[in-house]
PDB file of all heavy atoms in Angstrom:
ATOM      1  N   ARG A  53     -11.313   2.711  -4.564  1.00  0.00           N
ATOM      2  CA  ARG A  53     -10.851   1.912  -5.708  1.00  0.00           C
ATOM      3  C   ARG A  53      -9.360   2.090  -5.963  1.00  0.00           C
ATOM      4  O   ARG A  53      -8.752   1.280  -6.672  1.00  0.00           O
ATOM      5  CB  ARG A  53     -11.638   2.277  -6.962  1.00  0.00           C
ATOM      6  CG  ARG A  53     -13.081   1.811  -6.948  1.00  0.00           C
ATOM      7  CD  ARG A  53     -13.770   2.122  -8.250  1.00  0.00           C
ATOM      8  NE  ARG A  53     -13.802   3.561  -8.525  1.00  0.00           N
ATOM      9  CZ  ARG A  53     -14.211   4.094  -9.674  1.00  0.00           C
ATOM     10  NH1 ARG A  53     -14.586   3.327 -10.667  1.00  0.00           N
ATOM     11  NH2 ARG A  53     -14.220   5.411  -9.825  1.00  0.00           N
ATOM     12  N   ARG A  54      -8.777   3.138  -5.389  1.00  0.00           N
ATOM     13  CA  ARG A  54      -7.342   3.390  -5.566  1.00  0.00           C
ATOM     14  C   ARG A  54      -6.514   2.841  -4.399  1.00  0.00           C
ATOM     15  O   ARG A  54      -5.309   3.080  -4.346  1.00  0.00           O
ATOM     16  CB  ARG A  54      -7.084   4.897  -5.699  1.00  0.00           C
ATOM     17  CG  ARG A  54      -7.786   5.554  -6.892  1.00  0.00           C
ATOM     18  CD  ARG A  54      -7.272   5.032  -8.213  1.00  0.00           C
ATOM     19  NE  ARG A  54      -7.850   5.739  -9.339  1.00  0.00           N
ATOM     20  CZ  ARG A  54      -7.234   6.680 -10.044  1.00  0.00           C
ATOM     21  NH1 ARG A  54      -5.996   7.025  -9.736  1.00  0.00           N
ATOM     22  NH2 ARG A  54      -7.822   7.265 -11.065  1.00  0.00           N
ATOM     23  N   GLN A 133      -5.837  13.968   0.614  1.00  0.00           N
ATOM     24  CA  GLN A 133      -6.573  15.175   0.211  1.00  0.00           C
ATOM     25  C   GLN A 133      -7.935  14.810  -0.359  1.00  0.00           C
ATOM     26  O   GLN A 133      -8.917  15.529  -0.130  1.00  0.00           O
ATOM     27  CB  GLN A 133      -5.749  16.011  -0.788  1.00  0.00           C
ATOM     28  CG  GLN A 133      -5.487  15.383  -2.152  1.00  0.00           C
ATOM     29  CD  GLN A 133      -6.643  15.455  -3.148  1.00  0.00           C
ATOM     30  OE1 GLN A 133      -7.506  16.326  -3.045  1.00  0.00           O
ATOM     31  NE2 GLN A 133      -6.668  14.529  -4.101  1.00  0.00           N
ATOM     32  N   LYS A 134      -8.002  13.704  -1.081  1.00  0.00           N
ATOM     33  CA  LYS A 134      -9.293  13.304  -1.670  1.00  0.00           C
ATOM     34  C   LYS A 134     -10.298  12.950  -0.573  1.00  0.00           C
ATOM     35  O   LYS A 134     -11.470  13.363  -0.624  1.00  0.00           O
ATOM     36  CB  LYS A 134      -9.082  12.098  -2.597  1.00  0.00           C
ATOM     37  CG  LYS A 134     -10.331  11.651  -3.374  1.00  0.00           C
ATOM     38  CD  LYS A 134     -10.712  12.646  -4.432  1.00  0.00           C
ATOM     39  CE  LYS A 134     -11.907  12.189  -5.254  1.00  0.00           C
ATOM     40  NZ  LYS A 134     -11.642  11.029  -6.124  1.00  0.00           N
ATOM     41  N   PRO A 163     -11.498  18.847  -4.202  1.00  0.00           N
ATOM     42  CA  PRO A 163     -11.014  17.465  -4.287  1.00  0.00           C
ATOM     43  C   PRO A 163     -10.352  17.230  -5.645  1.00  0.00           C
ATOM     44  O   PRO A 163     -11.004  17.378  -6.681  1.00  0.00           O
ATOM     45  CB  PRO A 163     -12.290  16.617  -4.148  1.00  0.00           C
ATOM     46  CG  PRO A 163     -13.346  17.558  -3.652  1.00  0.00           C
ATOM     47  CD  PRO A 163     -12.961  18.911  -4.157  1.00  0.00           C
ATOM     48  N   VAL A 164      -9.075  16.909  -5.658  1.00  0.00           N
ATOM     49  CA  VAL A 164      -8.371  16.705  -6.924  1.00  0.00           C
ATOM     50  C   VAL A 164      -8.524  15.262  -7.381  1.00  0.00           C
ATOM     51  O   VAL A 164      -8.201  14.323  -6.659  1.00  0.00           O
ATOM     52  CB  VAL A 164      -6.873  17.042  -6.783  1.00  0.00           C
ATOM     53  CG1 VAL A 164      -6.170  16.852  -8.125  1.00  0.00           C
ATOM     54  CG2 VAL A 164      -6.687  18.471  -6.292  1.00  0.00           C
ATOM     55  N   ASP A 165      -9.042  15.104  -8.586  1.00  0.00           N
ATOM     56  CA  ASP A 165      -9.123  13.787  -9.215  1.00  0.00           C
ATOM     57  C   ASP A 165      -8.965  13.985 -10.719  1.00  0.00           C
ATOM     58  O   ASP A 165      -8.691  15.094 -11.183  1.00  0.00           O
ATOM     59  CB  ASP A 165     -10.436  13.076  -8.865  1.00  0.00           C
ATOM     60  CG  ASP A 165     -11.668  13.900  -9.228  1.00  0.00           C
ATOM     61  OD1 ASP A 165     -11.558  14.801 -10.094  1.00  0.00           O
ATOM     62  OD2 ASP A 165     -12.740  13.640  -8.652  1.00  0.00           O
ATOM     63  N   SER A 166      -9.134  12.927 -11.491  1.00  0.00           N
ATOM     64  CA  SER A 166      -8.906  13.026 -12.936  1.00  0.00           C
ATOM     65  C   SER A 166      -9.877  13.995 -13.609  1.00  0.00           C
ATOM     66  O   SER A 166      -9.532  14.664 -14.586  1.00  0.00           O
ATOM     67  CB  SER A 166      -9.012  11.643 -13.585  1.00  0.00           C
ATOM     68  OG  SER A 166     -10.284  11.070 -13.363  1.00  0.00           O
ATOM     69  N   TYR A 167     -11.095  14.096 -13.088  1.00  0.00           N
ATOM     70  CA  TYR A 167     -12.080  15.011 -13.676  1.00  0.00           C
ATOM     71  C   TYR A 167     -11.629  16.467 -13.517  1.00  0.00           C
ATOM     72  O   TYR A 167     -11.737  17.275 -14.445  1.00  0.00           O
ATOM     73  CB  TYR A 167     -13.444  14.806 -13.020  1.00  0.00           C
ATOM     74  CG  TYR A 167     -14.033  13.438 -13.260  1.00  0.00           C
ATOM     75  CD1 TYR A 167     -14.041  12.475 -12.250  1.00  0.00           C
ATOM     76  CD2 TYR A 167     -14.575  13.092 -14.505  1.00  0.00           C
ATOM     77  CE1 TYR A 167     -14.560  11.205 -12.474  1.00  0.00           C
ATOM     78  CE2 TYR A 167     -15.096  11.835 -14.737  1.00  0.00           C
ATOM     79  CZ  TYR A 167     -15.094  10.892 -13.712  1.00  0.00           C
ATOM     80  OH  TYR A 167     -15.610   9.633 -13.939  1.00  0.00           O
ATOM     81  N   ILE A 168     -11.133  16.792 -12.321  1.00  0.00           N
ATOM     82  CA  ILE A 168     -10.645  18.141 -12.068  1.00  0.00           C
ATOM     83  C   ILE A 168      -9.416  18.439 -12.925  1.00  0.00           C
ATOM     84  O   ILE A 168      -9.280  19.526 -13.496  1.00  0.00           O
ATOM     85  CB  ILE A 168     -10.308  18.326 -10.572  1.00  0.00           C
ATOM     86  CG1 ILE A 168     -11.598  18.341  -9.733  1.00  0.00           C
ATOM     87  CG2 ILE A 168      -9.506  19.599 -10.338  1.00  0.00           C
ATOM     88  CD1 ILE A 168     -12.508  19.518 -10.005  1.00  0.00           C
ATOM     89  N   LEU A 169      -8.515  17.468 -13.026  1.00  0.00           N
ATOM     90  CA  LEU A 169      -7.302  17.670 -13.811  1.00  0.00           C
ATOM     91  C   LEU A 169      -7.623  17.872 -15.284  1.00  0.00           C
ATOM     92  O   LEU A 169      -7.017  18.704 -15.966  1.00  0.00           O
ATOM     93  CB  LEU A 169      -6.362  16.482 -13.628  1.00  0.00           C
ATOM     94  CG  LEU A 169      -5.768  16.336 -12.223  1.00  0.00           C
ATOM     95  CD1 LEU A 169      -4.958  15.047 -12.115  1.00  0.00           C
ATOM     96  CD2 LEU A 169      -4.907  17.532 -11.869  1.00  0.00           C
ATOM     97  N   LYS A 170      -8.593  17.116 -15.782  1.00  0.00           N
ATOM     98  CA  LYS A 170      -9.008  17.286 -17.177  1.00  0.00           C
ATOM     99  C   LYS A 170      -9.640  18.658 -17.384  1.00  0.00           C
ATOM    100  O   LYS A 170      -9.380  19.341 -18.373  1.00  0.00           O
ATOM    101  CB  LYS A 170     -10.000  16.188 -17.563  1.00  0.00           C
ATOM    102  CG  LYS A 170      -9.382  14.813 -17.735  1.00  0.00           C
ATOM    103  CD  LYS A 170     -10.464  13.781 -18.014  1.00  0.00           C
ATOM    104  CE  LYS A 170      -9.889  12.384 -18.093  1.00  0.00           C
ATOM    105  NZ  LYS A 170     -10.947  11.355 -18.272  1.00  0.00           N
ATOM    106  N   ALA A 171     -10.492  19.047 -16.449  1.00  0.00           N
ATOM    107  CA  ALA A 171     -11.161  20.340 -16.555  1.00  0.00           C
ATOM    108  C   ALA A 171     -10.162  21.487 -16.515  1.00  0.00           C
ATOM    109  O   ALA A 171     -10.317  22.492 -17.219  1.00  0.00           O
ATOM    110  CB  ALA A 171     -12.185  20.493 -15.428  1.00  0.00           C
ATOM    111  N   ALA A 172      -9.119  21.329 -15.706  1.00  0.00           N
ATOM    112  CA  ALA A 172      -8.130  22.390 -15.547  1.00  0.00           C
ATOM    113  C   ALA A 172      -7.253  22.551 -16.774  1.00  0.00           C
ATOM    114  O   ALA A 172      -6.773  23.641 -17.078  1.00  0.00           O
ATOM    115  CB  ALA A 172      -7.260  22.113 -14.326  1.00  0.00           C
ATOM    116  N   SER A 173      -7.033  21.452 -17.500  1.00  0.00           N
ATOM    117  CA  SER A 173      -6.024  21.506 -18.560  1.00  0.00           C
ATOM    118  C   SER A 173      -6.553  21.300 -19.975  1.00  0.00           C
ATOM    119  O   SER A 173      -5.877  21.647 -20.935  1.00  0.00           O
ATOM    120  CB  SER A 173      -4.951  20.442 -18.297  1.00  0.00           C
ATOM    121  OG  SER A 173      -5.491  19.145 -18.468  1.00  0.00           O
ATOM    122  N   ALA A 186      -2.145  20.484 -14.861  1.00  0.00           N
ATOM    123  CA  ALA A 186      -2.455  19.069 -14.621  1.00  0.00           C
ATOM    124  C   ALA A 186      -1.252  18.138 -14.580  1.00  0.00           C
ATOM    125  O   ALA A 186      -1.107  17.368 -13.641  1.00  0.00           O
ATOM    126  CB  ALA A 186      -3.456  18.574 -15.648  1.00  0.00           C
ATOM    127  N   TYR A 204      -3.664  17.105 -19.517  1.00  0.00           N
ATOM    128  CA  TYR A 204      -3.783  15.878 -18.736  1.00  0.00           C
ATOM    129  C   TYR A 204      -4.066  14.723 -19.687  1.00  0.00           C
ATOM    130  O   TYR A 204      -4.884  14.830 -20.593  1.00  0.00           O
ATOM    131  CB  TYR A 204      -4.914  16.002 -17.716  1.00  0.00           C
ATOM    132  CG  TYR A 204      -5.100  14.753 -16.880  1.00  0.00           C
ATOM    133  CD1 TYR A 204      -4.245  14.493 -15.821  1.00  0.00           C
ATOM    134  CD2 TYR A 204      -6.103  13.851 -17.156  1.00  0.00           C
ATOM    135  CE1 TYR A 204      -4.391  13.353 -15.055  1.00  0.00           C
ATOM    136  CE2 TYR A 204      -6.273  12.705 -16.399  1.00  0.00           C
ATOM    137  CZ  TYR A 204      -5.416  12.464 -15.347  1.00  0.00           C
ATOM    138  OH  TYR A 204      -5.573  11.325 -14.590  1.00  0.00           O
ATOM    139  N   SER A 205      -3.384  13.623 -19.489  1.00  0.00           N
ATOM    140  CA  SER A 205      -3.537  12.484 -20.392  1.00  0.00           C
ATOM    141  C   SER A 205      -3.522  11.164 -19.621  1.00  0.00           C
ATOM    142  O   SER A 205      -2.763  11.000 -18.673  1.00  0.00           O
ATOM    143  CB  SER A 205      -2.403  12.473 -21.426  1.00  0.00           C
ATOM    144  OG  SER A 205      -2.431  11.279 -22.184  1.00  0.00           O
ATOM    145  N   GLU A 206      -4.366  10.236 -20.049  1.00  0.00           N
ATOM    146  CA  GLU A 206      -4.383   8.895 -19.464  1.00  0.00           C
ATOM    147  C   GLU A 206      -3.944   7.853 -20.489  1.00  0.00           C
ATOM    148  O   GLU A 206      -4.224   6.673 -20.362  1.00  0.00           O
ATOM    149  CB  GLU A 206      -5.794   8.576 -18.959  1.00  0.00           C
ATOM    150  CG  GLU A 206      -6.235   9.498 -17.838  1.00  0.00           C
ATOM    151  CD  GLU A 206      -7.651   9.222 -17.365  1.00  0.00           C
ATOM    152  OE1 GLU A 206      -8.374   8.509 -18.077  1.00  0.00           O
ATOM    153  OE2 GLU A 206      -8.025   9.713 -16.284  1.00  0.00           O
ATOM    154  N   GLN A 213       0.841  11.876 -14.358  1.00  0.00           N
ATOM    155  CA  GLN A 213       0.867  11.325 -13.003  1.00  0.00           C
ATOM    156  C   GLN A 213      -0.528  11.408 -12.387  1.00  0.00           C
ATOM    157  O   GLN A 213      -1.114  12.481 -12.309  1.00  0.00           O
ATOM    158  CB  GLN A 213       1.845  12.118 -12.158  1.00  0.00           C
ATOM    159  CG  GLN A 213       1.912  11.663 -10.716  1.00  0.00           C
ATOM    160  CD  GLN A 213       2.793  12.585  -9.920  1.00  0.00           C
ATOM    161  OE1 GLN A 213       3.884  12.911 -10.335  1.00  0.00           O
ATOM    162  NE2 GLN A 213       2.324  13.019  -8.776  1.00  0.00           N
ATOM    163  N   PRO A 214      -1.112  10.300 -11.951  1.00  0.00           N
ATOM    164  CA  PRO A 214      -2.453  10.329 -11.372  1.00  0.00           C
ATOM    165  C   PRO A 214      -2.466  10.968  -9.983  1.00  0.00           C
ATOM    166  O   PRO A 214      -1.464  10.934  -9.266  1.00  0.00           O
ATOM    167  CB  PRO A 214      -2.838   8.852 -11.291  1.00  0.00           C
ATOM    168  CG  PRO A 214      -1.535   8.134 -11.195  1.00  0.00           C
ATOM    169  CD  PRO A 214      -0.562   8.927 -12.008  1.00  0.00           C
ATOM    170  N   TRP A 215      -3.591  11.552  -9.618  1.00  0.00           N
ATOM    171  CA  TRP A 215      -3.717  12.223  -8.316  1.00  0.00           C
ATOM    172  C   TRP A 215      -3.408  11.281  -7.162  1.00  0.00           C
ATOM    173  O   TRP A 215      -2.896  11.718  -6.125  1.00  0.00           O
ATOM    174  CB  TRP A 215      -5.127  12.797  -8.158  1.00  0.00           C
ATOM    175  CG  TRP A 215      -6.218  11.759  -8.213  1.00  0.00           C
ATOM    176  CD1 TRP A 215      -6.915  11.357  -9.322  1.00  0.00           C
ATOM    177  CD2 TRP A 215      -6.729  10.977  -7.130  1.00  0.00           C
ATOM    178  NE1 TRP A 215      -7.815  10.375  -9.007  1.00  0.00           N
ATOM    179  CE2 TRP A 215      -7.733  10.117  -7.659  1.00  0.00           C
ATOM    180  CE3 TRP A 215      -6.445  10.906  -5.766  1.00  0.00           C
ATOM    181  CZ2 TRP A 215      -8.444   9.215  -6.874  1.00  0.00           C
ATOM    182  CZ3 TRP A 215      -7.145  10.004  -4.977  1.00  0.00           C
ATOM    183  CH2 TRP A 215      -8.128   9.170  -5.533  1.00  0.00           C
ATOM    184  N   SER A 216      -3.682  10.000  -7.331  1.00  0.00           N
ATOM    185  CA  SER A 216      -3.475   9.036  -6.246  1.00  0.00           C
ATOM    186  C   SER A 216      -2.006   8.765  -5.970  1.00  0.00           C
ATOM    187  O   SER A 216      -1.661   8.141  -4.966  1.00  0.00           O
ATOM    188  CB  SER A 216      -4.187   7.722  -6.557  1.00  0.00           C
ATOM    189  OG  SER A 216      -3.729   7.176  -7.780  1.00  0.00           O
ATOM    190  N   TRP A 218       0.206  11.438  -5.988  1.00  0.00           N
ATOM    191  CA  TRP A 218       0.770  12.736  -5.624  1.00  0.00           C
ATOM    192  C   TRP A 218       1.338  12.750  -4.216  1.00  0.00           C
ATOM    193  O   TRP A 218       0.799  12.119  -3.306  1.00  0.00           O
ATOM    194  CB  TRP A 218      -0.309  13.814  -5.711  1.00  0.00           C
ATOM    195  CG  TRP A 218      -0.572  14.301  -7.096  1.00  0.00           C
ATOM    196  CD1 TRP A 218      -0.187  13.706  -8.263  1.00  0.00           C
ATOM    197  CD2 TRP A 218      -1.309  15.466  -7.463  1.00  0.00           C
ATOM    198  NE1 TRP A 218      -0.622  14.447  -9.338  1.00  0.00           N
ATOM    199  CE2 TRP A 218      -1.323  15.519  -8.880  1.00  0.00           C
ATOM    200  CE3 TRP A 218      -1.959  16.455  -6.739  1.00  0.00           C
ATOM    201  CZ2 TRP A 218      -1.957  16.544  -9.580  1.00  0.00           C
ATOM    202  CZ3 TRP A 218      -2.596  17.480  -7.434  1.00  0.00           C
ATOM    203  CH2 TRP A 218      -2.589  17.518  -8.839  1.00  0.00           C
TER     204      TRP A 218
END
Side-chain angles (χ1 to χ4, degrees):
R53 289 184 299 172
R54 300 295 185 102
Q133 66 79 24
K134 185 70 177 292
V164 181
D165 56 22
S166 59
Y167 296 105
I168 290 295
L169 293 174
K170 287 176 184 176
S173 68
Y204 179 78
S205 172
E206 296 178 346
Q213 178 186 312
W215 60 268
S216 58
W218 280 15

